[in-house]
Each structure stands twice: as C-alpha cells, then as structure tokens.
C-alpha cells in the first residue's frame, strides 16, 4: 500500500495530518453545525479545539432618570419619588449632622442635592395657577367680534361735582330715584347719546380700578376725570390720575363748574400738565371738555368726546357666546337673597344660565336692568342685576356662564380650595425692602413701584427726584404716585394693586390705612429725614439692609427683699406689679427716678427652681448680670429687643 501523495504546496500541514491551525477537517464541519445554532456550545475535541464564543450582549446604556420636584417637599415625599425608604435619606442626613424626621421639609435645592447622589436629575415643578387656567380663554375670531358700548367711570376730588355730573348726564336725580324705594340703585347706568349708548359705572373712582382689576380683569375703558374750574387740581385729583395710569385706561377731563364766575380753564389745564395730562390745544393728547353740571352746558360735547375715544379704541366683543364679565357690587337682600350687579364683557347673559362668580354659583332666576325693569338678556357692556346665586360674591370677581350646574359647582369648589392655598402662601410675595435684593437676584424684579407721601409738596418733589436717581441696571425705581398729605386707604389700595412700597416722609398713616396695610401686607416705610429713606432703598437695592431692633416693654417688678448668695451675688426678691418677667430678657433698675443699671437678667427663680417666666401678682428672685447694688423698693423694668422692619419705628 503506497503512502498518500503530497504535493509541494502542503507546507502548512503539521504532524498527525493536522493543519497548522490545530484543527481537523471534520472539526470545521462541527463548527459550521454549531454556528447555525448559536444556543449550542461546540464541544471540546482535545487540546486547542475550537470553542464558539458566546456572542457578547451589549450592556444597555444606563438610562438617565429624571424626577419633577416642587419648591418644598418632605423627606417622605422625596423618598417616594426616589422609590426608596425614607429611613435611607434620614440616615444619610444624620451622617452629615442634620437632625431630621420623615416629615422634615426640604427646599428644592436640598432635595436636588440628595437626588444627584443617586444619579437622578431633578426638574423644578412649574406652578400652575388653577384659577387662571379656569378663567383662561381662547382668542376670539375677528369675524365674530362686533362693536360694543364704552364702559366709563367718573372720578375726581370730593365736591368737584362727580355725582351732579352723572345726574346731569342721566337727566334724573339719583337721590329722588332711590327715595321712591321702587328701584334699587345698582351701581351702573346706561345713557343714550344719539343712536349710541355709554355705560357709566357709579363705583367710587379708585375702586373701579383696584378691586375690579382682580386677576387682570379691567372693568373700564375710559375714565372721566372731573376737575372743578374754580378749584383746580386737588389731592384726590392726583390720586385719581395715578389710579387711571396704573390701570392703563384712557382719560377724558371734564372741567366742571363753568357757570361759576371764578372758573379758570387755563389754570386747570396748566396744573394737569404737571401730572402728565396735556390738553390737545397744548399739543398733547388728553381731551379736556368744559362743562357745567348745573346748567347742562357742554355735556353733549363730553358724551361726543367719550364716543370719539371709544372709536379710537375700537371696542369690540363677541355677543354670540357664553357670557363672561365682572361683579361690580353685591349684597344680601332681605327679600331676594344674594343679589349681584354684573357687567357683561363678552357674550350675552340670559335668564336660566348657570353662572359661577368666584366661590359662588347658581342659576340666573331673574335679571333687572339699571332702571329696575325685568330683562331676559344682557349684551356686552351692559350692566344687570342678577338673582339666583347661592352666596354673595366679592366685588371684582370674574363671573362666567357654565354648561350646567355641576360644572359651575365644581369651579366654585376649586376656587374655594385654591383661595385657601393662596391665602397660606400670601404671607408672602408682596414686595418689601427686606426681601428686595433676593428678588432682584432671582430675576423676579425689573421695576420697583413706589408711592411717595410727604408733609409738603416741596418734600414730595425732593423725595421723588432722589428716588428716581436710584435706578440701576437690574431694577428701575418708578414713582407711580406722589402727593402731599398723610397716607390714606387709597394709597394703600393702589400699593396693593401695583405691588408697590409706600415711602412716607414726615407723615403717618390714618387708622384705616394702617389696618388695610396690615391686611394687604403692604410695606409702608415712615421717615423723618429724606437721606434715611434714600439710604434704605439704596441698601435694599444692593442687598445690604441691616436689621433694626426695637425695644418692647414686657413687665415691671418691685424689690421687696435682698438675699445675699456667695456664688451669684445679691438676689432681688421681687413682686411682679405689671406684665410678665421673662428669663433672658433685659432689665433696667431704677432707684426713685434714677436708672442705675441697664443689662441682662442672669437668672430668674421661683423659690429654688429656675423658671422661664413669672407673671403679674407672683413673687420671684431676680439676679442681674454682674450687678449686686440692689436695694429694697428698687424698681426693675424688663424689656426685650425685637427685630422690626426698617423705617417702621418712626412716629
């Protein structure tokens, strides 16, 4: 048997007839078989035998987790979002020296820091104003809009003839109409001029802008400013101008009392230029019409001017939709229940409609017009008195028609719950100097509105000019109203509406203004020296406002006996004659009328026990810090140093 023949090309064969790769030919066949089924492993066939490696599974890229967090949340809430036990976070914070519980509140920044340690990104939750969303509306189609009547309010100084002018315009006396007791005056009137109508609101001037501007709603299109020709511009006139400007409405000036021999139109026009109202014949754009409410002269010209302004404004609304508007005023009527006067702004309000106004809802059972006549419907710019609400709504609330009673009730309930939240948060975001720098840094303040009140007009101008120069790149200081005289309720209302700070120089707020400022959280600063006001504002704008402390009296005690103690000195055995003596307070010791000590209370005891406080009518032992010269019948007056807002300590 002859040996197998090899040709010269077989250079790669090794011993035992294997090729250089260390494989038999049949091993290739086996390999192929296992390639077809990758789930089977190729068996080893000896040293260096082929093994099919398992295909590598690509590790999925770590998904970047992201969570949305509110401005503040508890550790438990954070743990729920991170899908872990609260104890894990509590332990982590314990190790950093923070004593916390699952109910401890964290700020967004603190929560974000914790989440990042677990490789989880955070995003701040956007606050949604639920009420704003409910009241939000789609843009109206231009083709659906129809011209509507102008809504006008009349404002001005007391005794300048606002009511007389309205009476002359309506050609009827309000007082005689009310005296009859047949029709109820509803705070709005519709007046015919030619073939067109004008709606006049009878609300007090500033209220037409402030309470009605709730949630950005604007009740009036044009303001008629009444100025007496024989009296000129007065403090309330200036207030009215400020309110109108803040509301952004057009102003038509009615120069009244032209029948008086001392009437001086030119003086009134020149005075008004100082407040930014420049007459058309002076090259400005403010219409000024001389009128007389007594004789009726000039009233047709005034109405024509109002209609001309309305034409320029191109006032339009869609009458063919669900009605929406504002509550002008409301009260509880003994016989008729809750009665609301509403101004329809869009759509047509009909008897039988389901309406909601803030926290109140109901079905319109009956409607009356401004003259007391029953009506079935009210078109845009028309006022109406409606009956059928479950409660009395607030003036300035937005009212809207809903599909059914269920929807109206649901919106009212949402409004109540959101209002509660809003009231909790509201203590709050009113602008004040102490938080101003933080607000500027956060980019929340671009403009700082200020109201200036001073004792004399010269001071007003000086303060106004000085404050105006404080504007910098980040925030503009804007004086929205400046006048001589004490701070009144109207000033506070304007400050609340415009989120302004009141600066008072040598003036004080009246009782109503003080109460309103506390309720509305308006920052009111009182000064006796101009440069202090300037310094405070400058410091606030640059974030250097230092705290101010005020002394607060808490109680008084009379020394009845003196005990000597070797380790503490003399102890004043005292009887509390007024208020309360608290440990940690400061004390003044008086001998007769002379003060001989002013310092801290080191210790306060009842018998042998150290106590926190001792009230009126009880005895106690008082040790004064580093002072032992105490005698029987000395008086100890106790007080605390309390931090107060800067400027508010001035009388």
């Amino acid at each position: 048997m002859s040996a197998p023949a090899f040709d010269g090309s077989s250079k790669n064969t090794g011993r035992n007839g294997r090729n250089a790769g260390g494989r038999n030919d049949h091993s290739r066949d086996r390999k192929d078989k296992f390639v077809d089924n990758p789930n089977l492993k190729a068996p080893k066939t000896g040293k260096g035998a082929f093994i099919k490696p398992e295909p590598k599974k690509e590790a999925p890229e770590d998904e970047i987790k992201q969570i949305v967090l509110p401005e503040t949340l508890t550790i438990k809430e954070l743990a729920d979002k991170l899908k872990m036990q609260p104890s894990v976070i509590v332990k982590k914070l314990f190790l950093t020296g923070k004593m916390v519980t699952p109910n401890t509140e964290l700020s967004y920044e603190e929560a974000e820091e914790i989440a990042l340690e677990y490789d989880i990104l955070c995003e701040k939750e956007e606050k949604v104003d639920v009420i704003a969303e409910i009241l939000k509306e789609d843009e109206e189609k231009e083709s659906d809009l129809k011209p509507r009547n102008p809504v006008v309010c009349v404002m001005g100084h007391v005794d300048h003839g606002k009511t007389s002018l309205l009476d002359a315009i309506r050609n009827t006396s309000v007082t005689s109409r009310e005296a009859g007791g047949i029709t109820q005056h509803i705070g709005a009137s519709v007046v015919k001029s030619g073939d067109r109508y004008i709606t006049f609101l009878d609300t007090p001037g500033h209220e037409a802008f402030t309470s009605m501007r709730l949630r950005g709603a604007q009740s009036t299109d044009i303001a008629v400013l009444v100025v007496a020709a024989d009296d000129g511009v007065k403090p309330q006139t200036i207030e009215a101008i400020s309110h109108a400007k803040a509301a952004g409405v057009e102003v038509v000036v009615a120069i009244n009392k032209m029948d008086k021999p001392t009437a001086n139109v030119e003086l009134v026009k020149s005075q008004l230029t100082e407040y930014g109202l420049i007459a058309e014949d002076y090259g400005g754009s403010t219409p000024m019409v001389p009128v007389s409410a007594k004789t009726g002269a000039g009233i047709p010209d005034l109405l024509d001017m109002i209609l001309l302004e309305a034409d320029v404004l191109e006032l339009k609304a869609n009458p063919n939709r669900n009605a929406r508007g504002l509550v002008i005023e409301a009260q509880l009527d003994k016989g008729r229940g809750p009665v609301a006067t509403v101004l329809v702004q869009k759509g047509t309000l009909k008897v039988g409609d389901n309406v909601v106004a803030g926290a109140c809802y109901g079905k319109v059972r009956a409607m009356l017009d401004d003259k007391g006549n029953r009506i079935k419907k009210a078109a845009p710019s028309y006022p109406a008195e409606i009956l059928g609400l479950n409660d009395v709504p607030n003036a300035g609330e937005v009212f809207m028609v809903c599909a059914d009673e269920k929807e109206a009730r649901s919106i009212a309930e949402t409004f109540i719950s959101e209002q509660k939240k809003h009231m909790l948060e509201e203590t709050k975001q009113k602008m004040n100097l102490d938080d101003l720098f933080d607000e500027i840094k956060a980019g929340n303040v671009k403009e700082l509105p200020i109201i200036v009140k001073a004792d004399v007009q010269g001071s007003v101008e000086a303060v106004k000019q000085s404050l105006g120069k404080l504007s910098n790149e980040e925030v503009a200081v804007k004086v929205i109203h400046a006048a001589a005289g004490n701070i009144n309720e109207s000033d506070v209302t304007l400050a609340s509406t415009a989120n302004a700070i009141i600066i008072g120089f040598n003036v004080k707020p009246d009782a109503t203004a003080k109460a309103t400022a506390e309720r509305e959280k308006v920052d009111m600063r009182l000064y006796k020296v101009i440069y202090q006001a300037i310094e405070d504002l400058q410091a606030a704008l640059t974030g250097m406002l230092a705290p101010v402390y005020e002394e607060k009296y808490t109680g008084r005690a009379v020394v009845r006996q003196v005990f000597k103690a070797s380790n503490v000195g003399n102890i004043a055995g005292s009887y509390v004659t007024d208020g309360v003596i608290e440990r940690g307070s400061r004390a003044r010791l008086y001998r007769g009328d002379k003060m001989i000590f002013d310092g801290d209370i080191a210790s306060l005891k009842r018998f042998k026990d150290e106590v926190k406080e001792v009230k009126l009518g009880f005895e106690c032992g008082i040790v004064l810090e580093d002072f032992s010269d105490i005698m029987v019948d000395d008086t100890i007056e106790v007080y605390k140093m309390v931090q107060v807002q800067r400027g508010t300590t001035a009388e």
Side-chain angles (χ1 to χ4, degrees):
M1 195 175 183
S2 59
F6 291 94
D7 59 20
S9 64
S10 302
K11 288 177 184 173
N12 293 329
T13 51
R15 63 172 182 235
N16 299 329
R18 291 182 183 175
N19 60 24
R23 304 195 290 264
N24 296 330
D25 290 337
H26 63 263
S27 73
R28 187 181 287 116
D29 299 333
R30 291 169 105 186
K31 172 199 155 197
D32 294 338
K33 183 165 63 177
F34 286 101
V35 167
D36 294 337
N37 187 352
N39 295 322
L40 295 172
K41 287 186 180 179
K44 288 185 179 182
T45 56
K47 191 177 176 184
F50 170 79
I51 297 172
K52 169 67 182 172
E54 285 190 58
K56 278 188 181 177
K57 288 183 182 175
E58 286 189 23
E61 286 185 29
D62 288 343
E63 286 182 27
I64 297 171
K65 289 183 181 176
Q66 191 164 9
I67 55 172
V68 177
L69 300 178
E71 209 162 297
T72 56
L73 76 166
T74 62
I75 287 176
K76 187 179 183 305
E77 289 165 343
L78 177 62
D80 290 343
K81 285 184 180 286
L82 296 176
K83 294 185 171 51
M84 61 175 64
Q85 290 297 318
S87 56
V88 177
I89 300 174
V90 170
K91 186 179 176 184
K92 183 183 274 291
L93 292 172
F94 266 142
L95 293 172
T96 63
K98 291 178 183 172
M99 303 293 284
V100 292
T101 70
N103 293 321
T104 302
E105 277 205 344
L106 300 173
S107 67
Y108 170 80
E109 288 73 21
E110 290 169 326
E112 184 182 35
E113 202 175 306
I114 294 165
L116 283 171
E117 289 181 32
Y118 296 101
D119 297 327
I120 295 172
L121 297 178
C122 298
E123 191 181 324
K124 207 171 208 177
E125 185 179 80
E126 281 188 33
K127 277 193 177 179
V128 178
D129 188 337
V130 179
I131 302 301
E133 286 298 312
I134 290 171
L135 299 178
K136 195 175 169 183
E137 284 200 305
D138 296 329
E139 284 289 316
E140 299 270 6
K141 288 181 185 173
E142 192 63 38
S143 56
D144 294 336
L145 301 177
K146 303 280 187 291
R148 65 171 177 84
N149 302 335
V151 179
V152 179
C153 79
V154 179
M155 54 205 305
H157 191 71
V158 67
D159 295 334
H160 276 203
K162 297 189 298 288
T163 310
S164 309
L165 185 63
L166 266 172
D167 283 347
I169 288 168
R170 289 189 298 232
N171 287 325
T172 56
S173 167
V174 173
T175 46
S176 65
R177 189 175 69 178
E178 283 180 346
I182 301 160
T183 56
Q184 179 68 35
H185 173 57
I186 72 162
S189 325
V190 180
V191 172
K192 192 173 182 182
S193 176
D195 57 348
R196 294 170 70 182
Y197 293 88
I198 302 169
T199 300
F200 283 92
L201 293 186
D202 299 352
T203 51
H206 64 84
E207 280 183 27
F209 295 133
T210 48
S211 63
M212 298 290 174
R213 284 182 68 210
L214 187 73
R215 302 199 186 281
Q218 190 169 301
S219 59
T220 54
D221 306 306
I222 298 165
V224 171
L225 180 69
V226 181
V227 187
D230 63 335
D231 206 11
V233 173
K234 292 288 174 189
Q236 278 177 289
T237 316
I238 302 162
E239 276 174 28
I241 294 167
S242 300
H243 283 292
K245 282 183 176 177
V249 298
E250 295 297 319
V251 177
V252 173
V253 179
I255 302 173
N256 193 23
K257 302 192 180 182
M258 288 304 294
D259 51 288
K260 293 276 186 84
T262 51
N264 188 339
V265 176
E266 294 308 311
L267 177 65
V268 172
K269 285 182 180 179
S270 65
Q271 284 178 339
L272 287 170
T273 56
E274 294 173 33
Y275 304 98
L277 297 182
I278 301 164
E280 289 171 325
D281 53 340
Y282 279 28
S285 58
T286 307
M288 297 192 185
V289 185
V291 296
S292 169
K294 195 174 181 181
T295 64
I299 285 173
D301 296 337
L302 179 63
L303 298 178
D304 287 345
M305 193 54 75
I306 291 168
L307 291 171
L308 187 64
E309 281 293 309
D311 290 340
V312 172
L313 293 171
E314 293 184 343
L315 304 170
K316 289 181 180 179
N318 178 6
N320 305 311
R321 49 157 286 174
N322 281 343
R324 180 188 176 99
L326 286 173
V327 176
I328 298 169
E329 57 185 37
Q331 72 275 339
L332 189 64
D333 188 279
K334 197 175 177 182
R336 301 182 297 169
V339 178
T341 302
V342 298
L343 174 70
V344 181
Q345 293 179 311
K346 298 174 180 179
T348 302
L349 182 63
K350 300 181 279 292
V351 171
D353 280 346
N354 288 292
V355 297
V356 60
C360 309
Y361 68 94
K363 185 176 270 195
V364 180
R365 287 190 287 107
M367 274 203 298
L368 292 88
D369 66 8
D370 61 309
K371 295 170 182 67
N373 304 316
R374 280 192 172 247
I375 52 172
K376 292 274 178 72
K377 57 184 182 180
S381 293
Y382 279 90
E385 195 174 67
I386 61 170
L387 282 65
L389 292 175
N390 70 327
D391 204 350
V392 180
N394 294 323
E397 292 287 11
V398 174
F399 86 84
M400 54 198 277
V401 170
C402 300
D404 50 41
E405 191 180 342
K406 189 179 175 183
E407 187 190 343
R409 188 192 289 115
S410 171
I411 291 173
E413 285 168 358
T414 305
F415 190 94
I416 293 167
S417 65
E418 285 299 312
Q419 207 172 34
K420 281 178 185 171
K421 284 185 206 169
H422 186 64
M423 284 171 77
L424 288 170
E425 288 171 8
E426 218 181 27
T427 30
K428 151 230 197 158
Q429 297 144 20
K430 285 286 182 198
M431 186 63 65
N432 75 63
L433 285 189
D434 297 320
D435 304 328
L436 180 60
F437 186 62
D438 293 334
E439 293 286 317
I440 294 168
K441 277 206 298 189
N444 299 334
V445 179
K446 301 294 177 204
E447 193 173 78
L448 177 62
I450 286 180
I451 292 169
V452 175
K453 293 301 288 278
D455 51 348
V456 291
Q457 193 60 39
S459 299
V460 172
E461 291 307 315
V463 175
K464 191 176 168 183
Q465 284 170 15
S466 302
L467 293 177
K469 291 172 186 172
L470 292 179
S471 299
N472 57 36
E473 291 171 5
E474 290 175 316
V475 60
V477 177
K478 183 182 177 187
V479 178
I480 59 168
H481 175 58
N486 282 336
I487 298 164
N488 57 35
E489 188 188 6
S490 178
D491 298 322
V492 178
T493 315
L494 177 58
S496 176
T497 307
N499 201 11
I501 292 168
I502 299 174
I503 301 283
F505 173 65
N506 272 340
V507 293
K508 58 184 181 180
D510 59 36
T512 317
K514 216 169 191 172
T516 310
E518 282 172 19
R519 189 177 67 247
E520 296 288 334
K521 306 285 185 297
V522 170
D523 194 11
M524 194 157 48
R525 304 283 170 140
L526 310 176
Y527 299 93
K528 289 189 181 295
V529 186
I530 290 179
Y531 76 81
Q532 282 181 351
I534 307 303
E535 276 181 2
D536 267 10
L537 200 57
Q538 183 71 64
L541 291 173
T542 51
M544 299 184 301
L545 202 62
V548 169
Y549 291 91
E550 184 182 62
E551 193 179 289
K552 185 185 176 187
Y553 166 83
T554 60
R556 185 182 288 109
V558 174
V559 179
R560 289 192 168 173
Q561 201 170 348
V562 179
F563 304 97
K564 288 186 168 59
S566 56
N567 55 338
V568 293
N570 287 350
I571 301 168
S574 312
Y575 177 77
V576 183
T577 57
D578 186 31
V580 62
I581 310 297
E582 291 180 6
R583 190 177 70 213
S585 298
R586 289 180 65 82
R588 291 192 186 98
L589 186 103
Y590 289 93
R591 193 160 292 152
D593 294 332
K594 189 181 177 185
M595 184 181 76
I596 56 171
F597 170 80
D598 186 357
D600 294 325
I601 292 176
S603 174
L604 181 67
K605 293 192 174 188
R606 281 266 301 149
F607 304 109
K608 290 185 179 180
D609 300 323
E610 188 77 24
V611 291
K612 194 178 175 184
E613 62 176 35
V614 181
K615 293 182 179 172
L616 171 69
F618 288 93
E619 292 180 335
C620 60
I622 300 171
V623 177
L624 300 175
E625 188 86 51
D626 300 326
F627 185 78
S628 294
D629 181 19
I630 302 167
M631 295 176 67
V632 175
D633 292 333
D634 284 353
T635 303
I636 298 172
E637 192 176 274
V638 180
Y639 64 96
K640 287 197 292 190
M641 297 307 290
V642 182
Q643 187 176 332
V644 294
Q645 289 183 347
R646 286 178 67 87
T648 55
T649 53
E651 288 300 320

